[in-house]
Amino acid sequence: MSDRVDAYASAMLTVAQAEGVVERVEDELFKVARTVEGSDPLRSTLTDPAIPVERRAGVVDELLGKRALPLTTAITSFIVGAGRAHDLPAIVDAFVARAAEARAEAVAEVRTAYPLDADALGRATGKRVTVKVIIDPTVLGGIVARVGDTVIDGSVRSRLEQLRETF
């Protein structure tokens, strides 16, 4: 992780802690980062230096509007306005990791085809876990979980591929 990404994440966490809204900002920023990663047109718009900063900030405002806290919108607009939209997912991931660390929790990124009971992974592992769920229809069924460097692939797609290789 670069020093710049870490500095942004640290500053964002400090502001969110001061406002007392860390968990909500964390969830909202995580969704924003995954949306930016998953949309080529959005990512291109937010990272294009030829588009005026005001227009890119307008896109952020349109995207988040009243669905997110003003702090989440301000942080996202600041990162985009500073020309760091290409680093947004990395900055948010570092922010999420720092916020979980402050709560003495691990972060689990779970991809599933359908919404998941976030407490289920914590009960299954016996640890305090901050679960970030990504709805991914390509999973088909089951889940793919990543906790740090550990990946647990219990997806139907993975099992079908294993079965195909066996034949």
Side-chain angles (χ1 to χ4, degrees):
M1 174 182 348
S2 78
D3 290 340
R4 185 167 297 183
V5 166
D6 197 42
Y8 274 97
S10 180
M12 290 165 36
L13 181 59
T14 300
V15 172
Q17 286 171 329
E19 294 290 323
V21 291
V22 174
E23 289 185 25
R24 181 155 175 210
V25 169
E26 180 183 354
D27 288 339
E28 291 173 352
L29 285 173
F30 184 82
K31 290 174 186 172
V32 168
R34 300 299 78 87
T35 300
V36 169
E37 278 182 331
S39 172
D40 289 336
L42 177 61
R43 186 175 47 257
S44 294
T45 299
L46 295 179
T47 59
D48 187 349
I51 297 174
V53 172
E54 296 80 22
R55 178 63 192 130
R56 288 183 277 154
V59 170
V60 169
D61 194 47
E62 288 173 25
L63 177 68
L64 300 178
K66 296 181 187 214
R67 293 177 285 233
L69 289 174
L71 180 58
T72 303
T73 303
I75 288 171
T76 306
S77 292
F78 177 76
I79 292 169
V80 169
R84 295 281 162 210
H86 60 281
D87 289 330
L88 182 66
I91 292 169
V92 170
D93 290 347
F95 171 83
V96 168
R98 283 178 166 269
E101 183 180 316
R103 292 188 303 268
E105 295 178 349
V107 177
E109 184 177 294
V110 178
R111 292 183 180 275
T112 179
Y114 299 99
L116 173 74
D117 174 12
D119 295 328
L121 192 57
R123 287 191 306 270
T125 62
K127 297 180 181 179
R128 287 184 47 163
V129 178
T130 296
V131 178
K132 299 297 178 191
V133 178
I134 300 170
I135 305 300
D136 184 351
T138 65
V139 172
L140 300 177
I143 67 167
V144 178
R146 181 177 56 86
V147 181
D149 293 336
T150 304
V151 176
I152 303 164
D153 190 345
S155 67
V156 171
R157 169 177 263 174
S158 172
R159 291 181 182 165
L160 289 173
E161 287 175 8
Q162 289 172 349
L163 186 60
R164 184 174 34 139
E165 288 176 12
T166 301
F167 286 125

